[in-house]
Amino acid sequence: MVCAILNHREDPILIGVLGAASQSMPIVTAYDTLGEVGLQHSMKQTGAKAIFLDPHLLPKLNKPLKEAKSIQYVVYNSEQGKVKQEHIDALKRDHPHLTICGFDELLKRGKEQMVDAVPPKPNDLCCIMYTSGSTGTPKGVLLKHRNVVAGSKLEIGSRTLYRH
């Protein structure tokens, strides 16, 4: 399963990214600067099944989801202010197959239904990062777990945990 992320970098996003990695689920980054067409393209091209976004971006999903039919779950960042019920109602009206919930509800469900980790292998797909699309259709850059680890050399004190 691929999970699209339309958001700015914040704690719930990092928790989602780490959660996806713990299950060997690749993520797709789609920034709101891509616009509705770019978002639709990234979701269709990757076959993403879920999307995580800030609540104020919920109305921007309606049009892209008419073509990106693989999305089944919409999770909004419940730490980013109050969600407008009319935004959820509009999505449910136009896309009745969707399961829509806040991040806090997702965490609660996860605690109630714990699953074992499915660690990724170094050559497994970790992330598809979409370009801005300034010269046309946004393009996805594929990053494997080994690429992400190599790019995030982690040091704790003087002990290096990863050497390349």
Side-chain angles (χ1 to χ4, degrees), residues 78-111:
S78 43
E79 294 183 7
Q80 279 294 314
K82 186 135 175 77
V83 64
K84 293 184 178 178
Q85 188 61 43
E86 66 257 24
H87 295 165
I88 292 175
D89 292 343
L91 278 174
K92 285 184 176 181
R93 180 191 65 236
D94 295 342
H95 309 283
H97 68 283
L98 291 177
T99 299
I100 303 170
C101 71
F103 185 69
D104 53 349
E105 176 66 21
L106 182 68
L107 287 178
K108 181 181 170 201
R109 290 180 190 180
K111 288 177 183 175

Side-chain angles (χ1 to χ4, degrees), residues 93-147:
R93 180 191 65 236
D94 295 342
H95 309 283
H97 68 283
L98 291 177
T99 299
I100 303 170
C101 71
F103 185 69
D104 53 349
E105 176 66 21
L106 182 68
L107 287 178
K108 181 181 170 201
R109 290 180 190 180
K111 288 177 183 175
E112 293 170 353
Q113 300 175 17
M114 299 288 287
V115 296
D116 291 333
V118 182
K121 295 176 183 64
N123 282 325
D124 287 347
L125 182 62
C126 177
C127 178
I128 305 170
M129 298 182 73
Y130 274 83
T131 64
S132 65
S134 58
T135 60
T137 305
K139 291 159 189 70
V141 177
L142 305 176
L143 297 176
K144 296 179 180 182
H145 281 275
R146 75 175 15 190
N147 303 127

